Amino acid sequence: MPGSDSEDRFGSGKGRGIRNRKIREAIYQRYRQAKAERKSEKRRQQAEEEKADPSKRVERLANNVPKTQENTREHDETYVDEDDQEVEDDQEQDEFAPYFSGQAPKVLITTSRCATAIANQFGKELETIFPNSKFVRRGSGYTIEQIIQFCNNREYTDTIVLHEDRRKLFALTIIHLPEGPTAHFKLSNPESMYSLDENVVITPHHPELILNNFTTRLGHSVGRFFAALFPQVPEFQGRQVATFHNQRDFIFFRRHRYDFVSGERANLKEIGPRFTLRLRWLQKGPYNPSHGEFEWSFKPAMETSRRRFFL
């Protein structure tokens, strides 16, 4: 079998250029083993140095930040800083301002026409998420405009419409009443709470709400949409948390119940349901998708880069 000189002559120990397959594989395996040993030795020495001087570990972690689509996203002019006074002034006068001034939400949940048991069951599960909400089966003869009028007459603040096609949920529309706005989302990966846990127990407590990573002006508008569906004062004794997490413009919804094990640690149990939303359009004013004024509408031509996000 070739020695080190032969290995250097035939590709620096990797076995390239050797016709005999067995010899080539043996050389390559020795190369991989030696490389793994060098890497292990380097990590061992690094661990010893960091144990003796903890500041080296802090410096290494600060310098070795992995690149992701999130931290390398393209610059967005509508990005909102935490102390942006212009945004705060606009939010004090928008359609959601009464809610943040103490108005209690009242939500009606319904479906598209001729909905099957799939949409009806998921609507009932949404009813357990939003406090002071009611699920109503939609008759085939009622239009969304008639449902909105029904809600306005009974002082509902929001209407949620589940859209189903061929026994599959595909979209969700949230209409803020009485003067809008309206948000339409693509709905994907819905999972029932009973598929996550057959013995799930739901209490009527108001959950805590977490809105994560809504950083642009559009993202703030969408976040306020979700916030207006929940009472401002959570009931902590219920130990429930509802989370809307935005990642690359996909909004992941999860609901958990937590249980404190110690002063600094808590166990989480997902109680569902879970689903993913992606904003398709946001419309100003009353619901009118045909002739209304759109604040934002998604078009495929807008996806010029995988690192361009809008929320």
Side-chain angles (χ1 to χ4, degrees), residues 192-257:
S192 168
M193 63 175 69
Y194 301 104
S195 67
L196 299 173
D197 185 356
E198 294 182 356
N199 301 316
V200 63
V201 177
I202 302 299
T203 63
H205 296 93
H206 299 173
E208 303 169 55
L209 178 63
I210 297 177
L211 299 173
N212 189 26
N213 205 26
F214 295 90
T215 56
T216 65
R217 291 293 296 266
L218 178 62
H220 271 235
S221 298
V222 173
R224 286 172 71 81
F225 242 114
F226 296 136
L229 301 174
F230 294 84
Q232 295 185 54
V233 181
E235 297 175 347
F236 296 102
Q237 62 270 30
R239 297 179 285 107
Q240 293 186 35
V241 180
T243 303
F244 290 90
H245 172 73
N246 172 45
Q247 186 171 348
R248 299 195 297 271
D249 287 348
F250 290 91
I251 304 169
F252 301 91
F253 175 81
R254 299 291 186 270
R255 182 169 54 157
H256 296 85
R257 180 179 290 114

Side-chain angles (χ1 to χ4, degrees), residues 55-84:
S55 62
K56 290 186 177 181
R57 183 175 186 275
V58 175
E59 181 181 358
R60 174 175 62 85
L61 295 178
N63 294 332
N64 296 339
V65 179
K67 291 184 178 180
T68 64
Q69 291 186 9
E70 285 81 7
N71 61 26
T72 59
R73 65 180 295 176
E74 293 183 0
H75 173 70
D76 194 315
E77 296 179 353
T78 64
Y79 182 85
V80 177
D81 294 324
E82 293 183 1
D83 56 348
D84 194 317

Side-chain angles (χ1 to χ4, degrees), residues 36-256:
E37 291 174 354
R38 290 194 300 269
K39 190 174 183 179
S40 177
E41 178 63 20
K42 182 179 179 181
R43 286 182 174 178
R44 185 187 64 78
Q45 294 179 357
Q46 179 178 282
E48 292 179 354
E49 293 175 358
E50 292 179 352
K51 184 177 181 180
D53 185 1
S55 62
K56 290 186 177 181
R57 183 175 186 275
V58 175
E59 181 181 358
R60 174 175 62 85
L61 295 178
N63 294 332
N64 296 339
V65 179
K67 291 184 178 180
T68 64
Q69 291 186 9
E70 285 81 7
N71 61 26
T72 59
R73 65 180 295 176
E74 293 183 0
H75 173 70
D76 194 315
E77 296 179 353
T78 64
Y79 182 85
V80 177
D81 294 324
E82 293 183 1
D83 56 348
D84 194 317
Q85 188 61 43
E86 179 182 355
V87 174
E88 293 180 2
D89 292 341
D90 290 343
Q91 291 179 348
E92 290 178 358
Q93 303 176 11
D94 66 6
E95 298 87 344
F96 302 103
Y99 161 78
F100 289 96
S101 299
Q103 180 184 7
K106 184 179 179 182
V107 184
L108 184 136
I109 303 170
T110 188
T111 65
S112 55
R113 289 177 174 174
C114 303
T116 66
I118 295 175
N120 291 329
Q121 176 60 36
F122 201 75
K124 292 178 182 178
E125 295 186 17
L126 291 183
E127 185 180 13
T128 69
I129 296 175
F130 306 110
N132 200 23
S133 65
K134 182 178 181 181
F135 173 72
V136 177
R137 293 173 182 265
R138 179 177 173 183
S140 59
Y142 293 96
T143 65
I144 292 184
E145 288 76 11
Q146 290 174 321
I147 294 173
I148 292 175
Q149 185 63 41
F150 172 89
C151 293
N152 285 331
N153 293 338
R154 289 158 179 81
E155 298 183 346
Y156 281 93
T157 61
D158 297 271
T159 300
I160 298 177
V161 182
L162 282 167
H163 301 273
E164 179 190 12
D165 183 35
R166 298 180 182 179
R167 300 180 61 83
K168 184 177 180 180
L169 296 171
F170 71 93
L172 181 146
T173 303
I174 305 177
I175 307 168
H176 188 67
L177 303 173
E179 298 297 331
T182 300
H184 182 76
F185 300 89
K186 177 184 176 181
L187 173 65
S188 58
N189 302 322
E191 289 192 41
S192 168
M193 63 175 69
Y194 301 104
S195 67
L196 299 173
D197 185 356
E198 294 182 356
N199 301 316
V200 63
V201 177
I202 302 299
T203 63
H205 296 93
H206 299 173
E208 303 169 55
L209 178 63
I210 297 177
L211 299 173
N212 189 26
N213 205 26
F214 295 90
T215 56
T216 65
R217 291 293 296 266
L218 178 62
H220 271 235
S221 298
V222 173
R224 286 172 71 81
F225 242 114
F226 296 136
L229 301 174
F230 294 84
Q232 295 185 54
V233 181
E235 297 175 347
F236 296 102
Q237 62 270 30
R239 297 179 285 107
Q240 293 186 35
V241 180
T243 303
F244 290 90
H245 172 73
N246 172 45
Q247 186 171 348
R248 299 195 297 271
D249 287 348
F250 290 91
I251 304 169
F252 301 91
F253 175 81
R254 299 291 186 270
R255 182 169 54 157
H256 296 85

